[in-house]
Amino acid sequence: MTNKEQILNFIGIAKRAGKITTGEDILLNAIKKNKIKFLIIATDSGKASLKKFTDKANSYNIPTNQMFTKVDISDAIGIPRTIIGIADNGFAKRLKEMTNNCKGT
């Protein structure tokens, strides 16, 4: 199993554990309330969404990752999504470690 597959499987586990927030408006509100600890943005998301969420993440010091496509993210969590937020410190810390160590293999 590649590093990317391991990360996507871990995202699926986070989803089943109820630690993922999805939906643009819901995510923006959660970011403003400091409930999001890690943000995953699809590489093929729209320019406006990409800018909005990267700017918001930067202003709230939320780490982000852009190594997966919409299809990757959607397959991992079972619903079509472009942006997902991790709302748990433990899951966010582990995902940050996993994505920092992943060289795209």
Side-chain angles (χ1 to χ4, degrees):
M1 184 181 299
T2 66
N3 288 344
K4 277 190 165 188
E5 289 170 335
Q6 289 176 335
I7 295 167
L8 289 169
N9 285 341
F10 192 74
I11 291 169
I13 292 168
K15 167 73 168 119
R16 289 188 294 282
K19 305 300 182 186
I20 285 184
T21 303
T22 65
E24 282 200 14
D25 293 336
I26 295 168
L27 258 176
L28 285 173
N29 286 331
I31 289 169
K32 290 174 187 172
K33 294 176 182 176
N34 291 315
K35 292 184 178 181
I36 301 301
K37 310 302 178 195
F38 190 74
L39 207 54
I40 298 171
I41 306 168
T43 55
D44 52 349
S45 62
K47 287 182 181 179
S49 292
L50 178 64
K51 181 176 176 6
K52 181 191 319 180
F53 280 95
T54 52
D55 288 352
K56 193 63 74 178
N58 287 336
S59 66
Y60 285 87
N61 294 319
I62 299 169
T64 62
N65 179 276
Q66 297 176 33
M67 68 188 302
F68 301 109
T69 64
K70 290 178 191 177
V71 172
D72 292 336
I73 294 169
S74 299
D75 287 349
I77 64 171
I79 50 176
R81 289 293 181 255
T82 305
I83 302 167
I84 59 174
I86 308 299
D88 178 80
N89 281 323
F91 278 98
K93 181 180 177 187
R94 182 68 183 125
L95 271 171
K96 186 177 177 184
E97 290 168 0
M98 292 171 81
T99 55
N100 285 343
N101 294 331
C102 183
K103 303 296 183 220
T105 56

XYZ file of all heavy atoms in Angstrom:
806
model
N 0.847 -1.181 0.000
C 0.000 0.000 0.000
C 0.893 1.245 0.000
O 1.833 1.342 0.769
C -0.894 -0.027 1.245
C -1.877 1.105 1.287
S -2.943 1.118 2.756
C -3.786 -0.424 2.612
N 0.577 2.180 -0.876
C 1.376 3.395 -0.971
C 1.042 4.348 0.183
O 0.033 4.183 0.874
C 1.126 4.135 -2.294
O -0.224 4.609 -2.303
C 1.375 3.244 -3.500
N 1.896 5.343 0.359
C 1.654 6.347 1.400
C 0.329 7.060 1.173
O -0.412 7.314 2.117
C 2.793 7.360 1.438
C 4.066 6.786 2.014
O 4.045 5.741 2.660
N 5.177 7.449 1.770
N 0.042 7.401 -0.096
C -1.213 8.097 -0.398
C -2.413 7.235 -0.030
O -3.391 7.731 0.524
C -1.279 8.486 -1.879
C -0.565 9.766 -2.206
C -0.883 10.212 -3.614
C -0.469 11.646 -3.823
N -0.917 12.180 -5.096
N -2.343 5.941 -0.336
C -3.448 5.037 0.002
C -3.624 4.952 1.517
O -4.751 4.934 2.009
C -3.200 3.647 -0.579
C -3.340 3.580 -2.079
C -2.864 2.256 -2.662
O -2.007 1.591 -2.026
O -3.336 1.895 -3.751
N -2.521 4.917 2.246
C -2.592 4.876 3.704
C -3.252 6.143 4.250
O -4.071 6.077 5.171
C -1.196 4.712 4.308
C -0.606 3.343 4.095
C 0.821 3.242 4.614
O 1.536 4.245 4.704
N 1.237 2.038 4.943
N -2.897 7.284 3.682
C -3.476 8.554 4.121
C -4.976 8.580 3.826
O -5.785 8.956 4.675
C -2.761 9.750 3.459
C -1.308 9.815 3.939
C -3.483 11.071 3.779
C -0.428 10.742 3.121
N -5.351 8.150 2.627
C -6.774 8.132 2.266
C -7.552 7.168 3.154
O -8.686 7.462 3.552
C -6.937 7.780 0.783
C -6.481 8.888 -0.181
C -6.409 8.365 -1.612
C -7.401 10.099 -0.098
N -6.968 6.026 3.486
C -7.618 5.090 4.408
C -7.799 5.731 5.782
O -8.845 5.567 6.422
C -6.804 3.794 4.541
C -6.950 2.905 3.338
O -7.882 3.026 2.550
N -6.001 1.986 3.187
N -6.787 6.471 6.217
C -6.863 7.149 7.514
C -7.953 8.223 7.504
O -8.668 8.403 8.495
C -5.504 7.750 7.886
C -5.418 8.202 9.312
C -5.305 7.287 10.346
C -5.457 9.548 9.626
C -5.240 7.697 11.668
C -5.389 9.974 10.941
C -5.282 9.039 11.972
N -8.093 8.925 6.376
C -9.174 9.913 6.242
C -10.530 9.215 6.358
O -11.455 9.727 6.998
C -9.039 10.688 4.912
C -7.796 11.594 4.952
C -10.302 11.509 4.625
C -7.428 12.200 3.607
N -10.643 8.040 5.755
C -11.876 7.257 5.867
C -12.176 6.867 7.308
O -13.329 6.911 7.756
N -11.138 6.509 8.045
C -11.304 6.180 9.468
C -11.788 7.408 10.238
O -12.684 7.318 11.081
C -9.985 5.630 10.053
C -9.672 4.265 9.448
C -10.056 5.550 11.578
C -8.265 3.768 9.721
N -11.193 8.567 9.940
C -11.608 9.812 10.592
C -13.079 10.106 10.294
O -13.820 10.547 11.178
C -10.720 10.970 10.140
N -13.504 9.840 9.074
C -14.912 10.049 8.693
C -15.825 9.139 9.516
O -16.829 9.583 10.074
C -15.071 9.789 7.187
C -16.507 9.668 6.715
C -17.219 10.997 6.703
C -18.524 10.884 5.952
N -19.678 11.171 6.744
N -15.455 7.856 9.586
C -16.276 6.915 10.345
C -16.297 7.253 11.837
O -17.271 6.951 12.524
C -15.790 5.484 10.110
C -16.101 4.995 8.698
C -15.816 3.524 8.487
N -14.400 3.162 8.569
C -13.498 3.352 7.614
N -13.860 3.921 6.472
N -12.250 2.969 7.770
N -15.237 7.874 12.314
C -15.169 8.283 13.722
C -15.911 9.594 13.979
O -15.995 10.053 15.117
C -13.712 8.418 14.146
N -16.420 10.219 12.917
C -17.160 11.467 13.073
C -16.276 12.683 13.322
O -16.718 13.669 13.914
N -15.044 12.643 12.846
C -14.088 13.724 13.097
C -13.869 14.619 11.882
O -12.965 15.443 11.875
C -12.738 13.146 13.541
C -12.822 12.219 14.737
C -13.375 12.917 15.949
C -13.408 11.984 17.152
N -14.057 12.592 18.299
N -14.703 14.463 10.853
C -14.558 15.254 9.625
C -15.734 16.203 9.481
O -16.879 15.840 9.748
C -14.440 14.323 8.401
C -13.056 13.698 8.382
C -14.720 15.062 7.108
C -12.773 12.842 7.187
N -15.432 17.420 9.055
C -16.455 18.424 8.764
C -16.415 18.702 7.267
O -15.332 18.881 6.707
C -16.171 19.721 9.548
O -16.103 19.419 10.937
C -17.238 20.764 9.312
N -17.579 18.719 6.619
C -17.643 18.988 5.189
C -18.717 20.019 4.895
O -19.561 20.304 5.728
C -17.946 17.703 4.384
O -19.259 17.240 4.718
C -16.939 16.613 4.661
N -18.685 20.545 3.682
C -19.637 21.569 3.260
C -19.038 22.940 3.480
O -18.563 23.237 4.578
N -19.029 23.755 2.427
C -18.324 25.042 2.500
C -18.787 25.929 3.640
O -17.976 26.406 4.425
C -18.449 25.788 1.161
C -17.525 25.251 0.103
C -17.281 26.243 -1.024
O -17.610 27.441 -0.879
O -16.743 25.804 -2.046
N -20.095 26.163 3.756
C -20.593 27.069 4.796
C -20.328 26.520 6.193
O -19.910 27.247 7.091
C -22.091 27.330 4.614
C -22.386 28.124 3.350
O -21.480 28.844 2.882
O -23.517 28.031 2.838
N -20.560 25.221 6.364
C -20.325 24.586 7.660
C -18.841 24.664 8.020
O -18.479 24.972 9.158
C -20.816 23.122 7.631
C -22.333 23.093 7.441
C -20.407 22.376 8.892
C -22.899 21.736 7.102
N -17.982 24.405 7.020
C -16.536 24.472 7.253
C -16.096 25.879 7.628
O -15.295 26.053 8.560
C -15.786 24.025 6.001
C -15.222 22.617 6.008
C -14.587 22.280 4.671
C -14.251 22.406 7.119
N -16.588 26.879 6.908
C -16.207 28.267 7.215
C -16.598 28.645 8.644
O -15.819 29.266 9.366
C -16.829 29.234 6.215
C -16.190 29.254 4.828
C -16.997 30.125 3.876
C -14.754 29.743 4.886
N -17.802 28.260 9.051
C -18.237 28.551 10.421
C -17.376 27.815 11.439
O -17.009 28.382 12.476
C -19.712 28.176 10.609
C -20.632 29.171 9.935
O -20.297 30.340 9.800
N -21.792 28.711 9.501
N -17.043 26.564 11.150
C -16.207 25.783 12.075
C -14.801 26.377 12.169
O -14.207 26.400 13.250
C -16.156 24.331 11.620
N -14.272 26.857 11.040
C -12.946 27.497 11.054
C -12.989 28.748 11.928
O -12.100 28.965 12.754
C -12.486 27.836 9.619
C -12.133 26.550 8.856
C -11.297 28.796 9.638
C -11.918 26.753 7.360
N -14.030 29.563 11.777
C -14.153 30.791 12.565
C -14.267 30.504 14.056
O -13.873 31.318 14.883
C -15.367 31.597 12.096
C -15.178 32.210 10.724
C -16.448 32.878 10.237
C -16.290 33.329 8.799
N -17.557 33.820 8.237
N -14.814 29.330 14.398
C -14.960 28.942 15.808
C -13.765 28.127 16.304
O -13.816 27.549 17.384
C -16.242 28.125 15.987
C -17.494 28.932 15.738
C -18.728 28.071 15.837
C -19.971 28.894 15.535
N -21.187 28.070 15.520
N -12.697 28.074 15.491
C -11.467 27.344 15.832
C -11.704 25.865 16.098
O -11.044 25.262 16.937
C -10.761 27.989 17.028
C -10.182 29.334 16.678
O -9.555 29.496 15.637
N -10.420 30.312 17.528
N -12.645 25.267 15.362
C -12.934 23.842 15.535
C -12.192 22.964 14.531
O -12.136 21.757 14.704
C -14.439 23.597 15.423
C -15.219 24.197 16.562
C -16.672 23.854 16.481
C -17.423 24.421 17.676
N -18.841 24.096 17.636
N -11.629 23.561 13.490
C -10.933 22.788 12.455
C -9.439 22.826 12.734
O -8.855 23.889 12.925
C -11.243 23.341 11.041
C -12.751 23.299 10.774
C -10.475 22.569 9.970
C -13.377 21.923 10.856
N -8.824 21.652 12.734
C -7.405 21.534 13.071
C -6.527 21.235 11.857
O -5.327 21.411 11.904
C -7.198 20.419 14.112
C -8.117 20.502 15.315
C -7.983 21.800 16.048
C -8.956 21.866 17.227
N -9.118 23.192 17.745
N -7.140 20.759 10.757
C -6.395 20.416 9.544
C -7.377 20.477 8.376
O -8.520 20.056 8.510
C -5.806 19.006 9.672
C -4.821 18.648 8.586
C -3.544 19.195 8.566
C -5.154 17.738 7.600
C -2.628 18.850 7.574
C -4.256 17.388 6.613
C -2.985 17.939 6.601
N -6.938 21.021 7.254
C -7.809 21.203 6.097
C -7.211 20.488 4.893
O -6.025 20.653 4.599
C -7.918 22.699 5.812
C -9.140 23.269 5.124
C -10.414 22.890 5.843
C -9.038 24.766 5.016
N -8.028 19.700 4.218
C -7.601 19.020 2.995
C -8.408 19.601 1.846
O -9.641 19.553 1.859
C -7.811 17.502 3.104
C -6.962 16.952 4.253
C -7.464 16.820 1.784
C -7.243 15.522 4.596
N -7.688 20.174 0.885
C -8.312 20.843 -0.253
C -7.899 20.095 -1.520
O -6.712 19.853 -1.742
C -7.872 22.316 -0.346
C -8.139 23.043 0.970
C -8.560 23.019 -1.513
C -7.500 24.417 1.086
N -8.872 19.748 -2.355
C -8.577 19.013 -3.585
C -7.726 19.859 -4.528
O -7.912 21.068 -4.633
C -9.871 18.602 -4.285
N -6.797 19.189 -5.218
C -5.926 19.882 -6.171
C -6.729 20.464 -7.330
O -6.324 21.454 -7.924
C -4.867 18.921 -6.738
O -5.523 17.795 -7.310
C -3.907 18.472 -5.676
N -7.876 19.844 -7.626
C -8.696 20.299 -8.748
C -9.932 21.072 -8.284
O -10.933 21.119 -8.978
C -9.089 19.118 -9.641
C -9.718 17.962 -8.882
O -9.667 17.957 -7.631
O -10.237 17.044 -9.536
N -9.836 21.715 -7.121
C -10.950 22.550 -6.666
C -10.932 23.873 -7.425
O -9.921 24.251 -8.013
C -10.864 22.786 -5.159
O -9.683 23.469 -4.833
N -12.043 24.570 -7.392
C -12.150 25.839 -8.097
C -11.239 26.895 -7.503
O -10.914 26.865 -6.315
N -10.830 27.838 -8.332
C -9.901 28.886 -7.882
C -10.478 29.714 -6.743
O -9.771 30.055 -5.794
C -9.537 29.802 -9.052
C -8.605 29.163 -10.054
C -8.244 30.133 -11.167
C -7.335 29.471 -12.191
N -6.990 30.383 -13.282
N -11.756 30.047 -6.829
C -12.378 30.873 -5.786
C -12.401 30.136 -4.446
O -12.052 30.704 -3.409
C -13.782 31.275 -6.201
N -12.805 28.871 -4.471
C -12.835 28.070 -3.242
C -11.439 27.877 -2.686
O -11.223 27.987 -1.476
C -13.467 26.701 -3.496
O -14.824 26.827 -3.779
N -10.497 27.591 -3.560
C -9.112 27.393 -3.142
C -8.593 28.638 -2.430
O -8.042 28.554 -1.326
C -8.235 27.056 -4.347
C -6.750 26.875 -4.066
C -6.500 25.684 -3.162
C -5.979 26.712 -5.369
N -8.804 29.806 -3.033
C -8.326 31.058 -2.436
C -9.041 31.330 -1.113
O -8.402 31.666 -0.112
C -8.537 32.220 -3.395
C -8.023 33.538 -2.812
C -8.130 34.677 -3.776
C -7.722 36.010 -3.242
N -7.153 36.149 -1.948
N -10.354 31.159 -1.097
C -11.135 31.440 0.106
C -10.643 30.590 1.281
O -10.411 31.106 2.375
C -12.616 31.134 -0.158
C -13.522 31.406 1.014
C -14.938 30.871 0.862
C -15.560 31.035 -0.485
N -16.929 30.490 -0.568
N -10.455 29.299 1.041
C -10.087 28.412 2.142
C -8.605 28.498 2.512
O -8.270 28.377 3.680
C -10.517 26.977 1.847
C -11.975 26.758 2.131
C -12.911 26.863 1.122
C -12.409 26.499 3.414
C -14.256 26.688 1.383
C -13.756 26.332 3.697
C -14.689 26.424 2.680
N -7.735 28.724 1.547
C -6.318 28.879 1.912
C -6.116 30.185 2.685
O -5.369 30.212 3.661
C -5.376 28.819 0.687
O -5.816 29.725 -0.307
C -5.296 27.422 0.113
N -6.792 31.244 2.263
C -6.701 32.513 2.997
C -7.236 32.364 4.424
O -6.619 32.823 5.386
C -7.467 33.625 2.275
C -6.778 34.093 1.009
O -5.629 33.674 0.755
O -7.405 34.873 0.254
N -8.394 31.710 4.546
C -9.008 31.519 5.863
C -8.114 30.642 6.739
O -7.893 30.935 7.908
C -10.391 30.884 5.704
C -11.242 30.902 6.934
C -11.599 32.279 7.417
C -12.632 32.961 6.566
N -13.005 34.280 7.079
N -7.566 29.582 6.161
C -6.681 28.687 6.917
C -5.428 29.432 7.378
O -4.982 29.262 8.515
C -6.306 27.478 6.072
N -4.871 30.250 6.500
C -3.682 31.026 6.868
C -3.981 31.999 8.007
O -3.184 32.141 8.926
C -3.131 31.782 5.656
C -2.453 30.863 4.664
O -1.996 29.778 5.018
N -2.388 31.294 3.419
N -5.118 32.659 7.950
C -5.426 33.645 8.982
C -5.721 32.986 10.335
O -5.525 33.599 11.374
C -6.573 34.554 8.557
O -7.770 33.845 8.439
N -6.175 31.722 10.323
C -6.450 31.012 11.572
C -5.357 29.991 11.907
O -5.529 29.178 12.815
C -7.815 30.313 11.503
C -8.971 31.270 11.649
C -9.494 31.932 10.542
C -9.536 31.526 12.891
C -10.549 32.825 10.657
C -10.597 32.417 13.026
C -11.095 33.056 11.908
O -12.140 33.926 12.042
N -4.246 30.031 11.177
C -3.106 29.130 11.401
C -3.496 27.655 11.373
O -3.104 26.880 12.241
C -2.395 29.456 12.720
C -1.744 30.817 12.689
O -1.146 31.199 11.682
N -1.870 31.558 13.768
N -4.277 27.284 10.371
C -4.685 25.901 10.202
C -3.831 25.290 9.093
O -3.792 25.816 7.980
C -6.178 25.805 9.810
C -7.042 26.421 10.915
C -6.577 24.355 9.540
C -8.478 26.622 10.524
N -3.136 24.182 9.373
C -2.342 23.540 8.315
C -3.257 22.981 7.227
O -4.365 22.527 7.512
C -1.587 22.429 9.043
C -2.273 22.248 10.348
C -3.030 23.504 10.646
N -2.788 23.042 5.992
C -3.569 22.536 4.865
C -2.748 21.539 4.059
O -1.529 21.496 4.165
C -4.015 23.668 3.921
O -2.864 24.298 3.371
C -4.865 24.694 4.629
N -3.460 20.761 3.258
C -2.808 19.823 2.358
C -3.573 19.819 1.054
O -4.801 19.844 1.050
C -2.793 18.420 2.958
C -2.144 17.438 2.018
O -2.790 16.910 1.125
N -0.865 17.212 2.204
N -2.831 19.784 -0.068
C -3.438 19.777 -1.393
C -2.796 18.701 -2.258
O -2.312 18.978 -3.346
C -3.288 21.137 -2.051
C -4.006 22.248 -1.327
C -3.754 23.593 -1.966
O -3.600 23.702 -3.171
N -3.720 24.630 -1.157
N -2.800 17.465 -1.781
C -2.159 16.411 -2.548
C -3.152 15.440 -3.186
O -2.750 14.532 -3.886
C -1.139 15.653 -1.686
C -1.748 14.846 -0.576
S -0.541 14.148 0.581
C 0.476 13.174 -0.460
N -4.450 15.633 -2.929
C -5.454 14.709 -3.447
C -6.438 15.410 -4.374
O -6.677 16.605 -4.245
C -6.227 14.062 -2.294
C -5.345 13.311 -1.348
C -5.096 13.793 -0.082
C -4.740 12.130 -1.731
C -4.273 13.114 0.800
C -3.914 11.438 -0.862
C -3.678 11.925 0.400
N -7.030 14.642 -5.280
C -8.052 15.172 -6.177
C -9.425 15.036 -5.514
O -9.565 14.372 -4.482
C -8.068 14.394 -7.511
O -8.450 13.048 -7.247
C -6.707 14.446 -8.196
N -10.433 15.634 -6.151
C -11.804 15.494 -5.673
C -12.204 14.022 -5.592
O -12.840 13.596 -4.634
C -12.773 16.202 -6.624
C -12.707 17.691 -6.629
C -13.684 18.238 -7.668
C -13.478 19.706 -7.906
N -14.367 20.226 -8.966
N -11.812 13.256 -6.605
C -12.155 11.828 -6.652
C -11.514 11.093 -5.484
O -12.158 10.281 -4.815
C -11.743 11.205 -8.010
C -11.912 9.699 -7.998
C -12.533 11.823 -9.144
N -10.236 11.386 -5.206
C -9.540 10.751 -4.077
C -10.276 11.017 -2.765
O -10.554 10.094 -1.992
C -8.107 11.292 -3.933
C -7.184 10.883 -5.066
O -7.445 9.860 -5.730
O -6.186 11.610 -5.288
N -10.572 12.280 -2.526
C -11.232 12.679 -1.278
C -12.627 12.063 -1.187
O -13.007 11.501 -0.159
C -11.306 14.219 -1.167
C -9.896 14.800 -1.026
C -12.186 14.653 0.002
C -9.814 16.309 -1.174
N -13.370 12.150 -2.275
C -14.736 11.627 -2.292
C -14.758 10.117 -2.060
O -15.600 9.608 -1.312
C -15.409 11.960 -3.623
O -15.482 13.360 -3.792
N -13.838 9.400 -2.683
C -13.762 7.954 -2.480
C -13.399 7.610 -1.039
O -13.903 6.647 -0.472
C -12.740 7.324 -3.431
C -13.227 7.275 -4.877
O -14.428 7.536 -5.124
O -12.392 6.985 -5.759
N -12.526 8.403 -0.438
C -12.077 8.127 0.930
C -13.198 8.281 1.946
O -13.280 7.513 2.908
C -10.913 9.035 1.301
N -14.081 9.272 1.738
C -15.127 9.525 2.734
C -16.518 9.065 2.300
O -17.451 9.106 3.086
C -15.168 11.013 3.156
C -15.553 11.921 1.993
C -13.844 11.430 3.767
C -15.821 13.357 2.401
N -16.646 8.646 1.054
C -17.920 8.088 0.604
C -18.956 9.084 0.148
O -20.082 8.710 -0.161
N -18.610 10.356 0.112
C -19.523 11.379 -0.419
C -18.716 12.368 -1.248
O -17.547 12.605 -0.955
C -20.298 12.131 0.700
C -19.342 12.629 1.794
C -21.382 11.286 1.302
C -19.996 13.455 2.870
N -19.317 12.948 -2.290
C -18.554 13.875 -3.134
C -18.219 15.169 -2.401
O -19.106 15.889 -1.969
C -19.483 14.140 -4.326
C -20.831 13.691 -3.898
C -20.668 12.729 -2.772
N -16.917 15.411 -2.243
C -16.446 16.615 -1.568
C -15.157 17.107 -2.203
O -14.362 16.342 -2.718
C -16.194 16.359 -0.081
C -17.446 16.167 0.744
C -18.251 17.459 0.822
N -19.435 17.313 1.619
C -20.665 17.214 1.121
N -20.863 17.216 -0.163
N -21.697 17.125 1.922
N -14.938 18.416 -2.102
C -13.723 19.051 -2.603
C -12.818 19.474 -1.450
O -11.609 19.477 -1.572
C -14.101 20.294 -3.433
O -15.013 19.897 -4.447
C -12.895 20.921 -4.085
N -13.447 19.849 -0.333
C -12.704 20.340 0.832
C -13.264 19.651 2.071
O -14.484 19.592 2.255
C -12.845 21.865 0.977
C -12.342 22.559 -0.285
C -12.104 22.367 2.209
C -12.704 24.006 -0.392
N -12.363 19.144 2.909
C -12.789 18.565 4.174
C -11.920 19.109 5.292
O -10.748 19.415 5.097
C -12.757 17.016 4.177
C -11.361 16.487 3.879
C -13.778 16.454 3.202
C -11.231 14.982 4.018
N -12.523 19.235 6.447
C -11.797 19.699 7.624
C -11.754 18.603 8.668
O -12.723 17.872 8.851
N -10.627 18.490 9.336
C -10.472 17.527 10.421
C -10.675 18.289 11.728
O -9.968 19.262 11.997
C -9.076 16.865 10.396
C -8.764 16.281 9.022
C -8.957 15.819 11.504
C -9.685 15.204 8.546
N -11.627 17.823 12.531
C -12.015 18.569 13.730
C -11.458 17.970 15.018
O -11.864 18.371 16.097
C -13.544 18.636 13.806
N -10.529 17.053 14.910
C -9.978 16.388 16.088
C -8.459 16.574 16.115
O -7.795 16.360 15.097
C -10.328 14.901 16.042
C -9.754 14.121 17.198
O -10.362 14.171 18.282
O -8.705 13.470 17.010
N -7.925 16.961 17.264
C -6.488 17.203 17.371
C -5.649 15.977 17.043
O -4.646 16.071 16.346
C -6.128 17.707 18.777
C -6.435 19.175 18.964
O -6.259 19.973 18.052
N -6.903 19.522 20.150
N -6.041 14.820 17.553
C -5.278 13.598 17.325
C -5.243 13.203 15.855
O -4.170 12.913 15.304
N -6.397 13.194 15.213
C -6.460 12.861 13.785
C -5.697 13.891 12.958
O -4.985 13.552 12.020
C -7.914 12.767 13.306
C -8.571 11.455 13.594
C -9.389 11.290 14.689
C -8.380 10.365 12.747
C -10.000 10.069 14.958
C -8.980 9.144 12.999
C -9.793 9.000 14.109
N -5.855 15.163 13.317
C -5.173 16.228 12.575
C -3.662 16.100 12.694
O -2.942 16.227 11.693
C -5.632 17.595 13.081
N -3.177 15.821 13.891
C -1.738 15.679 14.099
C -1.194 14.517 13.279
O -0.161 14.645 12.613
C -1.456 15.458 15.590
C 0.006 15.316 15.923
C 0.208 15.093 17.412
C 1.689 14.883 17.697
N 1.925 14.496 19.087
N -1.892 13.389 13.304
C -1.432 12.210 12.567
C -1.488 12.456 11.055
O -0.561 12.086 10.333
C -2.274 10.989 12.952
C -1.844 9.720 12.276
C -0.471 9.266 12.779
N -0.074 8.089 12.042
C 1.069 7.965 11.371
N 1.957 8.941 11.396
N 1.346 6.883 10.708
N -2.542 13.094 10.569
C -2.637 13.396 9.133
C -1.544 14.362 8.703
O -0.970 14.203 7.628
C -4.010 13.980 8.791
C -5.072 12.965 8.425
C -6.430 13.632 8.336
C -4.740 12.276 7.125
N -1.248 15.333 9.538
C -0.185 16.281 9.213
C 1.152 15.548 9.104
O 1.917 15.777 8.164
C -0.114 17.379 10.281
C 0.857 18.475 9.962
C 0.821 19.558 11.021
C 1.853 20.621 10.726
N 1.926 21.641 11.763
N 1.432 14.649 10.042
C 2.655 13.855 9.995
C 2.705 12.991 8.733
O 3.726 12.932 8.047
C 2.758 12.943 11.227
C 3.010 13.659 12.513
C 2.825 12.756 13.748
O 2.503 11.558 13.577
O 2.995 13.254 14.858
N 1.587 12.327 8.443
C 1.536 11.422 7.290
C 1.729 12.179 5.987
O 2.467 11.727 5.112
C 0.208 10.661 7.257
C 0.045 9.658 8.389
S -1.622 8.965 8.470
C -1.501 7.705 7.204
N 1.090 13.340 5.848
C 1.196 14.091 4.590
C 2.560 14.753 4.457
O 3.078 14.859 3.346
C 0.075 15.149 4.460
O 0.084 16.001 5.609
C -1.280 14.491 4.321
N 3.163 15.161 5.565
C 4.508 15.736 5.502
C 5.538 14.693 5.082
O 6.526 15.029 4.434
C 4.906 16.354 6.843
C 4.211 17.668 7.106
O 3.676 18.301 6.202
N 4.188 18.071 8.360
N 5.316 13.447 5.467
C 6.252 12.372 5.141
C 5.995 11.744 3.766
O 6.795 10.954 3.304
C 6.204 11.270 6.203
C 6.718 11.756 7.537
O 7.558 12.649 7.593
N 6.221 11.183 8.608
N 4.888 12.088 3.140
C 4.511 11.478 1.861
C 5.196 12.219 0.719
O 5.123 13.431 0.591
C 2.997 11.533 1.672
S 2.450 10.718 0.175
N 5.841 11.466 -0.127
C 6.523 12.047 -1.280
C 5.735 11.809 -2.569
O 6.283 11.819 -3.661
C 7.928 11.432 -1.438
C 8.784 11.585 -0.208
C 9.075 13.039 0.105
C 9.992 13.163 1.287
N 9.662 14.230 2.183
N 4.441 11.534 -2.431
C 3.610 11.333 -3.608
C 3.599 9.907 -4.120
O 3.149 9.651 -5.218
N 4.088 8.961 -3.329
C 4.106 7.563 -3.759
C 2.894 6.834 -3.268
O 2.247 7.232 -2.358
C 5.357 6.841 -3.229
O 5.401 6.965 -1.803
C 6.612 7.393 -3.846
